[in-house]
Each structure stands twice: as C-alpha cells, then as structure tokens.
Amino acid sequence: MGLLLGLLLLGHLTVVTYGHPILEAPESVTGPWKGDVNIPCTYGPLQGYTQVLVKWLVQRGLDPVTIFLHDSSGDHIQQAKYRGRLQVNHEVPGDVSLQLNTLEMDDRSHYTCEVTWQTPNGNQVVRDKIIELRVQKLSVSKPTVTTGSGYGFTVPQGMRISLQCQAWGSPPISYVWYKEQTNNQEPIKVAVLSTLLFKPAMVADSGSYFCTAKGRVGSEQQSNIVKFVVKGKGLPVFSIVLIISLCCMVVFIMAYIMLCRKTSQQEHAYEVARAHAREASNSGETWRVAIFTSGCSSEEPSSQTPGNDYSEDPCLGQEYQIIAQINNDYAHLLHTVPPDYELLDTKDKDVC
C-alpha cells in the first residue's frame, strides 16, 4: 500500500515538473554592428495551456529593464531607444523570438525571454531564458553571385533576368558590378548596386561578370567570375524540317491547281472554237440554201442565150461572195467552198 502511494506521488511530481511548456533559447547570439540580429526564443504549445503574457527584458546595471511587453491589448515597447528597431514574431505559435535592427555597440547585454501561460486548472505558469547578445564589427565577407531565375546562368533571349551579389558584414555594404573584356583589357563597370538587372536579356549581354563588396569594416572583397550566356531564340531541327515540308507541299498544290486551271481553260477554248465553227458552218449552209432557193429558182427568167451550151453560173459566184463576206472571221470555211462548188456545179446542170 505504501509503495503504491509512493508511485502515485512520484507521478504527480513528474507531471508538475515536466508537464508545462518548456522555453528553448541559445546561451548567446552574435550580431553585426549596424546590422540586424534575431534572438531566438521558442516553446512547444501544449493542449490546455494558453499564452497570456510575453516579456523581453535587458540587463541594465543590477536590475533588468522591460523593453517589450505583449498581452491581450497588443504589443508595447517600453523603452524609446528600441522604438522602430524592435519587434516580436507572432506568426508561428510558440515562437516569441526578438528581432533587433541596426545594432549599436551598447546593445551588448543579457536579454531575458519570459513567457506566462494559464494552465487548464486556471493557474499561471512562468518560464524564462537568458541570452547574451554580442555585437561585433564584422569585416565584409566574400560575396556570392546568384541568379533570380530557374534557368541558372544560361538563359533564353528576351527573358527578364537578374544577377544578385550578396555579402555579410557590418553595414552599409556597397556593391559594384563589372564585365570582363577581351585582349586583357580592364573590366568595365556596369552597375553600382547589389542586383544587376537585364530587362530583357539580349545576346550582346553574354559575357563574364563579377561583383565586389565593401563594408564599414575591412577591405573590399571580390566574388568569383560567372559566365552569363544569353541564347538566341532558335527553332528545333524538327520544326525547321516540318516548316520546309509544309512549304514544299503548298508550292506543289499551287502548281497543280494552276496547271489544272490552265488545262481546263484550253479545253474550254477548244470546245468554244469547235462550237463557233459548227455554228458558222451551219449558218453558211443555211445561207447557201436560202440563196439557191431565192436566187436560183426555176421561176426566175433565164438570162442565157439559147444557142450557148455553157455559160458561167451567176448563182454560184453570188454564193461565194456572200459566204466570204459573212464568215470573214472563219477563214477555214473558205477552203470548203471548192468541194461544195464542184458538188453544186454537178447538181446545177440538172437545175439550170
């Protein structure tokens, strides 16, 4: 019985000791002079525990001084020295880290992160962590060059591309961009800023670039040389072959259509000529029949002398003249007159 009570008491003490949220923070943080620093302070949220108060204190002399307070009414900066330079993260539950900007040498001190929770039974629990802040005058580091696109340093023409130069150290840090020249000539200064922007990138922008960085402390540092290549827009071989094939097909189809149209026009002209010739021939035969009917009738008085066995037939000469006059545009019909003349001459011997 006594052993059981002892185990229950030990379990209760374990819950009381380890059941509350635990703050986690480093022992010390170093920030650059004139730069920014983040002093981490986090905890793992527990079900039933509600954060009610967050404090940040700084050691000034013997007593700590509150510089930041967050409660149900919001954020409150307690010291004028830190206004505009201090903020606490509230975006991530359990993260109450302190962000301090534009560090001065007298910002070196011990900072205390203090959090108060309300427990499930209505009580309050307070935990704190002390972090030492060190401020150093840092020399500028060797800058690194990155590109602001997924293409790397080989990009297609027409893209909006940027090359970024970044170094660490005590600000302000000044940056200069250079482009190397051929024939051992001095590099050309192309920009005095951290980001070199091409809008858009052209083939002529291709070349070797590097940047330099100079901070408040230390000497100027130079980055590695990067080769920046801008490729012209070209079509793949398959696309070129496809375009050529399509062009050849179009030319072949157009030539075929023109040839068919020309052949059709020639056949049409030939049919029209045959039709006209047929109409002209029929017209000539009709006129000739009309002439014989009206001009060479047996009722017309004969002008020939009785004793003459042969006389030139006036009807046939008149016919020939009329046909030549009417069908002047169809010369081939004139060549058909002699056979007709011989045939008519044979027939007319019986008529006249």
Side-chain angles (χ1 to χ4, degrees), residues 83-100:
R83 289 175 183 170
R85 300 198 300 131
L86 183 153
Q87 60 182 359
V88 174
N89 183 23
H90 301 296
E91 296 179 358
V92 180
D95 188 355
V96 292
S97 302
L98 175 70
Q99 177 75 23
L100 188 59

Side-chain angles (χ1 to χ4, degrees), residues 41-166:
C41 184
T42 60
Y43 67 89
L46 293 180
Q47 185 175 3
Y49 285 78
T50 305
Q51 174 186 301
V52 294
L53 187 65
V54 176
K55 278 186 181 181
W56 276 93
L57 303 92
V58 61
Q59 193 71 28
R60 296 297 183 193
L62 298 178
D63 299 323
V65 177
T66 300
I67 61 176
F68 177 83
L69 175 65
H70 174 78
D71 56 14
S72 58
S73 62
D75 295 345
H76 308 280
I77 298 177
Q78 304 294 325
Q79 298 289 322
K81 176 183 178 180
Y82 296 97
R83 289 175 183 170
R85 300 198 300 131
L86 183 153
Q87 60 182 359
V88 174
N89 183 23
H90 301 296
E91 296 179 358
V92 180
D95 188 355
V96 292
S97 302
L98 175 70
Q99 177 75 23
L100 188 59
N101 302 327
T102 317
L103 290 176
E104 299 291 346
M105 296 305 297
D106 60 357
D107 288 330
R108 295 176 295 179
S109 185
H110 288 81
Y111 289 76
T112 301
C113 173
E114 181 182 297
V115 182
T116 302
W117 298 273
Q118 184 175 351
T119 64
N121 57 13
N123 297 327
Q124 290 189 348
V125 177
V126 181
R127 293 288 184 269
D128 60 29
K129 277 287 186 179
I130 298 176
I131 307 103
E132 180 185 4
L133 174 62
R134 302 169 182 174
V135 180
Q136 294 181 351
K137 294 182 178 181
L138 302 177
S139 300
V140 67
S141 64
K142 181 178 180 178
T144 57
V145 177
T146 58
T147 178
S149 72
Y151 291 96
F153 294 101
T154 301
V155 300
Q157 182 178 358
M159 295 291 295
R160 182 184 176 94
I161 303 296
S162 62
L163 300 181
Q164 300 169 356
C165 183
Q166 188 175 19

Side-chain angles (χ1 to χ4, degrees), residues 260-276:
C260 292
R261 182 176 298 177
K262 184 176 181 180
T263 304
S264 177
Q265 291 177 351
Q266 291 177 350
E267 292 178 354
H268 179 69
Y270 180 71
E271 291 295 334
V272 170
R274 290 181 60 186
H276 287 175

Side-chain angles (χ1 to χ4, degrees), residues 211-284:
C211 68
T212 61
K214 183 174 178 57
R216 187 182 294 269
V217 180
S219 59
E220 184 180 74
Q221 299 292 326
Q222 177 179 323
S223 70
N224 294 330
I225 297 175
V226 295
K227 188 174 182 180
F228 183 65
V229 179
V230 181
K231 289 187 175 182
K233 293 182 178 179
L235 293 175
V237 177
F238 174 77
S239 300
I240 297 175
V241 173
L242 180 61
I243 292 175
I244 294 176
S245 301
L246 292 176
C247 292
C248 293
M249 290 178 62
V250 171
V251 172
F252 176 77
I253 293 173
M254 293 298 296
Y256 179 76
I257 292 175
M258 294 178 64
L259 180 62
C260 292
R261 182 176 298 177
K262 184 176 181 180
T263 304
S264 177
Q265 291 177 351
Q266 291 177 350
E267 292 178 354
H268 179 69
Y270 180 71
E271 291 295 334
V272 170
R274 290 181 60 186
H276 287 175
R278 188 181 302 111
E279 292 177 359
S281 177
N282 294 337
S283 177

Side-chain angles (χ1 to χ4, degrees), residues 268-286 288 323 326-334 336 340:
H268 179 69
Y270 180 71
E271 291 295 334
V272 170
R274 290 181 60 186
H276 287 175
R278 188 181 302 111
E279 292 177 359
S281 177
N282 294 337
S283 177
E285 293 292 337
T286 303
R288 291 163 63 183
I323 291 176
I326 294 176
N327 301 311
N328 189 32
D329 295 333
Y330 302 95
H332 64 280
L333 294 179
L334 300 179
T336 63
D340 291 343

